[in-house]
Amino acid sequence: MIELPTDLPADLAPLSWLLGVWEGTGVIDYTAGEHHFTGEFAHRVSFSRDSGPVLSYSASAWLIDGEERTPLVSEVGFWRLVRPATAAEPGPGLLPGIGVAPVRTADDVEALRTAEGGFEIEASIVHADGVSELYLGQIRGPRIDLATDAVVRSASAKPYAAATRMYGLVEGHLLWAWDIAALGADLASHASARLAKAE
């Protein structure tokens, strides 16, 4: 059973079902050039609230080969509803806000609902291998669909051009699928997993 906190900022209510630590396994299946990548992996994902109207995100994965686990890339980031920033909010950088920020209510958040019945969201995700992604998408109930709006990679990172991700809450499990365009290949299915609430 998923328990939702009652003390969250109104902006986090649509995302609240993600909160917690999720663990499970998944499969990799991706072809780039002459190489076909396949395998099973263990996955741990955490969504938490540190401060403000954003969720902190972290994820790590390990390739499973019998009793051995080989680390795959880890990632961290922030997820939030899309809404205009006000002068009272801090940033950019360490700049403090100007004035007092009004407390946002459920009605304020409801005004952000799209014609499709969901909310626009954005997720900024940084990978340990030198790739940074900005995803834009929608959350509709217990389903999130995201697509990269921008991908930035360091000179030492492997080629990675675009991605989509889907997350859904199904019978108490977090299911996700991640499609990528990498290593010169077109956007295609890459990995999927089924995770159970661990904390």
Side-chain angles (χ1 to χ4, degrees), residues 34-159:
E34 300 296 314
H35 196 81
H36 184 201
F37 300 88
T38 61
E40 183 181 4
F41 65 96
H43 199 47
R44 180 180 172 91
V45 174
S46 173
F47 289 94
S48 62
R49 176 184 169 236
D50 294 327
S51 64
V54 300
L55 289 184
S56 296
Y57 164 81
S58 65
S60 294
W62 300 266
L63 191 64
I64 300 171
D65 184 8
E67 294 297 313
E68 288 190 35
R69 288 187 173 205
T70 305
L72 297 170
V73 71
S74 294
E75 54 187 28
V76 296
F78 299 96
W79 296 43
R80 66 183 187 165
L81 291 186
V82 173
R83 64 174 175 81
T86 67
E89 294 172 287
L94 296 178
L95 300 178
I98 300 169
V100 177
V103 175
R104 292 176 50 78
T105 67
D107 289 339
D108 295 328
V109 173
E110 187 60 31
L112 300 174
R113 191 176 290 276
T114 66
E116 296 83 19
F119 297 92
E120 293 183 0
I121 65 170
E122 59 188 36
S124 302
I125 299 177
V126 178
H127 303 227
D129 63 358
V131 172
S132 298
E133 302 168 292
L134 172 62
Y135 284 94
L136 301 179
Q138 288 244 344
I139 180 168
R140 289 188 284 293
R143 180 182 169 126
I144 296 171
D145 292 284
L146 298 167
T148 49
D149 183 58
V151 174
V152 177
R153 60 186 181 88
S154 67
S156 62
K158 293 179 180 178

